[in-house]
Amino acid sequence: MPAADPGGGAAPSASPSPTELGFRPGDPAFLADPYPVFRALADAGPALYYPERDLWLLTRFTDVHAALRHRGLGRIYTHRHSAADLGLPEPEAAYPRWQASEQWSLLNLEPPDHTRLRRLVTKVFTARSVAAMRPTIERICREQLGPLATRESFDVLADFAQPYSIAVICALLGVPAEAGPTLLAWSHAIVKMYEFQTTDAERDGAERAAADFIAYVRALIGDRRTDPRDDLITELVQVADEGDRLSEDEIVSTVIVLLNAGHEATVNTLGNGLRAACLFPDEWRRVVGGEVSPATAVEELIRWDAPLQLFERWVLEDGVELAGRTFRAGERIGMMFGVANRDPERFPDPDRFDIGRGDAGHIGFGGGTHFCIGAPLARLELDIALTQLAAAGPDLHWVEEPQYQPYFVIRGLRSLRVQLR
């Protein structure tokens, strides 16, 4: 039903709706270049009601930043309310295996469960342990990129970014490298459930993939209990803190979210970012020539064309004040990462792709309680990939104009066929 305004009436109608301003997440023309529409949304107001999803869209950096840290918001509401309490329909019981894969995901939990689970996971998935992977990641990158450098052209996504990212995750988890293509297929299927529009076939595919992924991880856990190894799954099985341990279901969800979120972010940042490098070759030459370090360039790749465009949260209590509006419990907020990352109040000349901008304060890895636990690994993977690509591809350019995937929330290309020289 329409959300109430601060005075208790229906959703405001004075401002044009996001759809009237061109916000059409299923439209290929919008997906090809959403940023002019994003500017129109931001100009129309800091909080816009989107009736198609009964969702309030936040369009300003300051408000998105605040919402990410607001304790009155949550990815779920069931830890504090029933659906009846909030006047909401009971959640659908469909797709039980997909829901099981998400049940203990750090992306979805709220304190105190989130606090406990994150404490245990971060005891083994530390910045130091990630940094120690640099030689392994550099080797994997060389193995993936080396043969491609001699080709006339190759697809950045299918030939390089996807196998590279999956191989890194496999090495981290202790999963056989030959399982990479299977894990990739499961990941692609599962993340379709995060989109605004999904078909019955996509939802059924996500359910099958989740069932297979859960069974695979359970088998790995069982193996590591009897045959411990030097890998993350073994450490998750063995970790203990103040007498507390992770349950098998918690390990399953943790492994799945590490692979899905980590893989999708790295692959789409490389695809979207290298498309930008092809659009602005003078900027790419700043990296090639050593003026801008790859680690600095990574931040602009994430900011300028964000791989995650929106993150939703429930309002958990009456009286939450954001974006000049007072919200009530049971409403939903959509934090527009792609809009916030182009906010001129936060980023000077925000539509300019400035590869040396080096502003790590973008909203690309979330924030607050849900700041991405895999951010250090993603940054390291991207740094290494750009370092080796800059050495191999001083004249990086595409050979055919790339097209975006028909999805909004997770933004990425279908392919990016390039030549390096």
Side-chain angles (χ1 to χ4, degrees), residues 190-226:
I190 289 171
V191 299
K192 296 295 186 294
M193 294 291 265
Y194 306 146
E195 292 297 333
F196 275 14
Q197 294 101 358
T198 52
T199 65
D200 288 342
E202 287 171 334
R203 288 188 288 271
D204 290 342
E207 177 72 359
R208 289 192 299 271
D212 291 342
F213 207 158
I214 289 171
Y216 183 78
V217 177
R218 287 195 190 284
L220 287 173
I221 293 170
D223 178 72
R224 297 307 191 270
R225 291 194 193 282
T226 58

Side-chain angles (χ1 to χ4, degrees), residues 56-371:
W56 285 90
L57 303 178
L58 302 189
T59 65
R60 309 283 173 81
F61 181 93
T62 298
D63 297 319
V64 172
H65 185 272
L68 284 165
R69 291 156 177 78
H70 203 299
R71 294 300 180 92
L73 305 177
R75 282 288 289 172
I76 56 174
Y77 62 79
T78 51
H79 61 304
R80 290 177 58 173
H81 304 283
S82 68
D85 290 340
L86 301 178
L88 299 171
E90 289 296 327
E92 294 184 16
Y95 309 107
R97 304 316 296 155
W98 178 79
Q99 291 177 342
S101 74
E102 294 273 297
Q103 182 178 2
W104 295 103
S105 167
L106 282 168
L107 278 176
N108 292 328
L109 292 176
E110 293 296 332
D113 288 333
H114 182 277
T115 306
R116 170 187 164 274
L117 185 61
R118 186 161 184 137
R119 187 186 77 244
L120 287 166
V121 173
T122 52
K123 282 184 70 69
V124 297
F125 191 49
T126 63
R128 178 177 295 181
S129 67
V130 169
M133 288 192 68
R134 177 178 282 274
T136 298
I137 298 173
E138 289 175 336
R139 172 184 56 77
I140 291 171
C141 192
R142 283 194 302 271
E143 291 172 352
Q144 296 292 338
L145 188 59
L148 301 176
T150 62
R151 291 191 192 178
E152 182 177 350
S153 67
F154 66 93
D155 181 356
V156 167
L157 277 77
D159 296 331
F160 173 59
Q162 290 175 353
Y164 166 56
S165 178
I166 285 294
V168 171
I169 295 290
C170 286
L172 172 72
L173 296 175
V175 174
E178 55 269 24
T182 300
L183 299 179
L184 180 63
W186 288 340
S187 175
H188 283 336
I190 289 171
V191 299
K192 296 295 186 294
M193 294 291 265
Y194 306 146
E195 292 297 333
F196 275 14
Q197 294 101 358
T198 52
T199 65
D200 288 342
E202 287 171 334
R203 288 188 288 271
D204 290 342
E207 177 72 359
R208 289 192 299 271
D212 291 342
F213 207 158
I214 289 171
Y216 183 78
V217 177
R218 287 195 190 284
L220 287 173
I221 293 170
D223 178 72
R224 297 307 191 270
R225 291 194 193 282
T226 58
D227 182 20
R229 302 181 192 178
D230 183 19
D231 58 41
L232 186 62
I233 291 180
T234 297
E235 292 181 344
L236 291 172
V237 168
Q238 296 178 343
V239 67
D241 184 45
E242 299 175 2
D244 193 9
R245 290 185 177 274
L246 294 169
S247 70
E248 184 167 299
D249 288 344
E250 290 166 346
I251 298 173
V252 167
S253 288
T254 297
V255 169
I256 290 176
V257 75
L258 284 175
L259 185 133
N260 289 351
H263 156 74
E264 296 291 339
T266 301
V267 169
N268 291 324
T269 296
L270 278 173
N272 299 355
L274 291 177
R275 171 186 174 272
C278 292
L279 279 172
F280 305 101
D282 288 346
E283 294 299 305
W284 178 242
R285 282 191 279 272
R286 296 173 69 191
V287 179
V288 171
E291 176 191 343
V292 175
S293 72
T296 296
V298 163
E299 306 305 332
E300 185 72 345
L301 266 59
I302 297 170
R303 182 201 71 85
W304 196 76
D305 198 10
L308 179 63
Q309 290 284 315
L310 177 138
F311 199 61
E312 294 184 12
R313 285 195 170 168
W314 290 95
V315 180
L316 302 177
E317 56 195 42
D318 292 335
V320 169
E321 295 185 4
L322 283 169
R325 188 178 184 279
T326 302
F327 292 87
R328 69 165 191 270
E331 292 187 299
R332 275 194 308 161
I333 286 172
M335 296 171 286
M336 300 285 285
F337 286 11
V339 186
N341 280 332
R342 297 282 190 106
D343 187 340
E345 294 295 319
R346 174 61 181 79
F347 302 99
D349 197 5
D351 292 330
R352 179 187 171 205
F353 180 67
D354 177 3
I355 208 163
R357 188 185 299 261
D359 192 333
H362 56 74
I363 298 173
F365 292 113
T369 301
H370 288 281
F371 182 78

